Amino acid sequence: MDSEQAGGWRAGIRAGVPLGLAAGALAVTFGAYATLAGWPPAATILMSALVFSGSAQFAFITAVSGGAGLVTGIGAGALMNLRFVPMAAAAARSLHGGRFRRAVEGQAVVDGSWVLAQRPDGTTDREMMMGATLVQWPAWVLGTAVGALLVPSADLLYRFGLDVVFPSFFLLLLLEALRSRPDHRWVALVAAGLASAAVLIVPVGVALLLSAAASLIVLRRRPNSAMG
Amino acid sequence: MNTVIVVGIVALALINFAFKASGPALLGDREPSERAQDVVASLSPALLAGLVVVEIAGPHWSEVDWTRIVGLVVAAVAYRRGLPDLICIALAVVVTAGLRLLVP
C-alpha cells in the first residue's frame, strides 16, 4: 500500500498519457470506420464526445450498418458498457459530495483509468482516475475527428502496428495489477479462459462481461489464505 | 439513417451516464463488506485478462495475428525489465510494424 500513496491528479494525468495515445489511435480507426459506414463526420465526432466509449460506439455502428434495427444497436452498445455498473459502484465510496456530484464524478470511470486508480485495498484513487480520464477524452474526440475527416485506410493503421497499442496497454496494466496482488493470477487465468470460450459464441462485449465473472471465485477462498 | 444516428447517440449517451451514475448515486459512501471488496479488487485483473484475450482474438477468434502476439510478448518482456509503460508500448508497435514490413 505504501508505494501506492503517490497518486493524485498529476500522477493521473501523467499515467493517462499512454492511455490517451492508445485511445487516440483507436479513435482514428473508429472515425474512419464510421465514415466508411456512411456516417456524417459531424455525427461521428458528436458521438465520441457524448458517448465516449469505444466498445459501445463500435458495437452500435456495426449493428446498425449491418442491418440491425435501432433498438438492437442500442442494446448491443448498452451491453458493451454494462461493466461500468460494477466498476462505478466499486469506486462509489471514494468519490466526493452528494448524490448528484457523485453521479457526475462517476462519469470518469473508463477501463484504463479505473484500473490505474485501483488501490490494493479495494478503494479508488479518485484524483488519479479523473486525471487519467481528462487526458483520454480530448484524445478520443480528436482522434475520431482525424479518422472521420481524413479516413486513413485500415491497411495503413495495420502497417504502422497501431492495433497493438490497446492490447499491450491492457497487458501492462494486468501485469502491474498482478504484481501488487499475485494471488489474483487465478482470477486472471479463469477470466482469460472464460473470454476465450465466450468470444466464440457471443459478441465481444458480452464476452468481456462474462470474463468479469471470474472475480466471483475469490468468494470461494478465505480472505487470509489469499496471499500465496 | 439520420434519425437512427441521432436517437442512437442520445440513447447511448444517456444509458452510459446512467450506468456510471447508478452506483455512486445510490451507494454513497457505504462501506462494502469485506467479501464485496475482495470481489471488487479482483474485478480489474479479471476484466484486463478478458480485454487482452478479446483484443487478441476478435469476434469468433477471427482476428488472431501472430505479429501482434509477438508485439505483446515484447511489451511484457520490456515491462519485466523495468522499462516505462510508454517505452514498452512503443517497442511493441515498432516490432509489430517491423515484422509486417519484413514478413509480408
Side-chain angles (χ1 to χ4, degrees), chain A residues 39 51 78 81 88 90 99 102 107 109 114-115 158-160 163 168 176 179 188 191 196 199-200 204 215 219, chain B residues 1 9 16-17 19-20 24-25 32 35 40 42-44 46 48-49 54 60-61 65 68 72 79 86 93 97 100:
Chain A
W39 277 48
V51 180
N81 281 354
R99 278 170 197 276
R102 278 172 203 278
Q107 303 308 309
V109 172
W114 183 82
V115 173
Y158 178 84
R159 248 190 281 165
F160 281 103
D163 54 312
S168 21
E176 198 140 320
R179 190 158 65 174
S196 304
V199 86
L200 285 171
V204 163
S215 294
L219 291 177
Chain B
M1 182 70 182
I9 291 174
N16 219 18
F17 184 92
F19 280 173
K20 294 180 182 182
R35 304 188 99 199
V40 163
S42 68
L43 259 179
S44 67
L48 283 168
V54 158
H60 310 290
W61 284 91
D65 179 321
R68 190 162 43 196
L72 286 173
Y79 174 82
L86 213 51
V93 170
R100 286 171 184 173

Side-chain angles (χ1 to χ4, degrees), chain A residues 83-111:
Chain A
R83 67 182 183 280
F84 291 136
V85 174
M87 288 164 78
R93 71 192 159 121
S94 304
L95 302 176
H96 292 177
R99 278 170 197 276
F100 181 73
R101 181 165 169 198
R102 278 172 203 278
V104 172
E105 289 194 4
Q107 303 308 309
V109 172
V110 292
D111 294 320

Side-chain angles (χ1 to χ4, degrees), chain A residues 31-179:
Chain A
Y33 181 73
T35 300
L36 292 173
W39 277 48
T44 309
I45 299 165
L46 183 71
M47 185 185 213
S48 279
L50 294 180
V51 180
F52 184 35
S53 164
S55 48
Q57 291 175 226
F58 268 114
F60 179 75
I61 294 193
T62 307
V64 170
S65 61
L70 177 63
V71 175
T72 311
I74 292 172
L79 210 51
M80 281 286 180
N81 281 354
L82 203 55
R83 67 182 183 280
F84 291 136
V85 174
M87 288 164 78
R93 71 192 159 121
S94 304
L95 302 176
H96 292 177
R99 278 170 197 276
F100 181 73
R101 181 165 169 198
R102 278 172 203 278
V104 172
E105 289 194 4
Q107 303 308 309
V109 172
V110 292
D111 294 320
S113 309
W114 183 82
V115 173
L116 275 178
Q118 293 309 298
R119 297 196 186 102
D121 63 354
T123 59
T124 304
D125 183 335
R126 165 183 173 271
E127 290 79 16
M128 170 81 105
M129 182 166 82
M130 292 180 147
T133 298
L134 278 180
V135 181
Q136 289 171 82
W137 186 80
W140 179 248
V141 177
L142 199 68
T144 304
V146 169
L149 296 169
L150 302 180
V151 200
S153 69
D155 181 55
L156 193 72
L157 296 166
Y158 178 84
R159 248 190 281 165
F160 281 103
L162 291 178
D163 54 312
V164 85
V165 173
F166 249 102
S168 21
F169 190 76
F170 291 135
L171 180 64
L172 296 183
L173 289 176
L174 174 63
L175 293 174
E176 198 140 320
L178 292 182
R179 190 158 65 174

Side-chain angles (χ1 to χ4, degrees), chain B residues 12-85:
Chain B
L12 280 179
L14 291 176
I15 289 170
N16 219 18
F17 184 92
F19 280 173
K20 294 180 182 182
S22 58
L26 300 177
L27 294 174
D29 48 8
R30 229 175 293 161
E31 180 95 1
S33 72
E34 200 170 319
R35 304 188 99 199
Q37 285 181 45
D38 246 17
V39 173
V40 163
S42 68
L43 259 179
S44 67
L47 272 167
L48 283 168
L51 278 165
V52 171
V53 167
V54 158
E55 292 268 347
I56 290 173
H60 310 290
W61 284 91
S62 61
E63 288 170 8
V64 180
D65 179 321
W66 70 274
T67 58
R68 190 162 43 196
I69 295 175
V70 174
L72 286 173
V73 172
V74 167
V77 171
Y79 174 82
R80 290 280 179 192
R81 299 260 160 140
L83 294 173
D85 285 4

